[in-house]
Amino acid sequence: MRVEVTNQIWGILKTFGVVLSRRTGEPFERLVDEACDNSDPMLNQTVRSMLCVHSCLKELIRQLDRQLMSRARGSAVCRQLMAIPGVGVLTALAFVTAVDDPSKFPKSRSVGAYFGLTPRCYQSGEIDRNRGISKCGDGLVRTYYLRPPARF
């Protein structure tokens, strides 16, 4: 939503011939304020109200991120998972939430099958085809799990 509001602000300003300068390190709010100082009062009011929505969304996102971090730091299992390269807060929390009780899996291989990370098979008479993964199970965890780690 924050990105959509940002794009709407860019689009409104561009419609009225106001182009924001892309200065590195400058907050978006400051760039918009500078661009709206000498503009039409109606445009100024509209953009400033959208800018208020933008800043509120940024603050809510910041609060949710803090809550997720504190929840992950409070769980020993999440901390162990986050020690793995490429596993962050969202991946660890999604995995712990989806697995819930690890004792329901007799083998560790069963976890991959639970999330749909097994080959999809088609068998009919003499035909036996193995294709990509079956994609059964929790799609959110599978999406986070299959994302490659960031390289620096």
Side-chain angles (χ1 to χ4, degrees):
M1 289 179 70
R2 182 186 52 85
V3 172
E4 287 178 13
V5 171
T6 303
N7 290 339
Q8 287 177 357
I9 292 172
W10 278 89
I12 289 172
L13 289 173
K14 188 176 181 181
T15 301
F16 287 93
V18 179
V19 179
L20 294 178
S21 61
R22 295 180 186 238
R23 286 181 260 163
T24 308
E26 282 289 318
F28 179 70
E29 293 87 358
R30 188 176 302 153
L31 292 174
V32 173
D33 279 337
E34 289 175 5
C36 287
D37 282 341
N38 301 327
S39 63
D40 179 40
M42 183 66 173
L43 173 66
N44 193 359
Q45 182 181 3
T46 304
V47 171
R48 290 199 191 276
S49 63
M50 291 183 74
L51 198 58
C52 180
V53 171
H54 180 269
S55 57
C56 288
L57 284 171
K58 269 179 58 173
E59 183 57 35
L60 288 173
I61 291 168
R62 193 175 296 127
Q63 289 175 4
L64 288 172
D65 283 345
R66 286 187 196 129
Q67 288 176 3
L68 287 174
M69 286 296 285
S70 66
R71 182 75 50 111
R73 287 181 182 149
S75 169
V77 177
C78 284
R79 285 194 312 267
Q80 281 182 327
L81 287 171
M82 288 190 307
I84 300 169
V87 176
V89 175
L90 287 177
T91 307
L93 284 172
F95 186 82
V96 168
T97 304
V99 169
D100 191 34
D101 181 23
S103 63
K104 67 183 176 183
F105 299 107
K107 300 181 227 174
S108 62
R109 284 184 168 178
S110 303
V111 178
Y114 179 72
F115 291 126
L117 298 174
T118 56
R120 182 175 55 181
C121 298
Y122 175 76
Q123 294 178 336
S124 174
E126 295 178 7
I127 299 171
D128 185 11
R129 295 185 187 141
N130 286 331
R131 296 190 176 146
I133 61 174
S134 64
K135 298 184 182 178
C136 299
D138 193 350
L140 180 69
V141 175
R142 192 175 50 253
T143 301
Y144 287 147
Y145 180 75
L146 293 176
R147 196 168 289 162
R151 295 184 180 183
F152 297 102

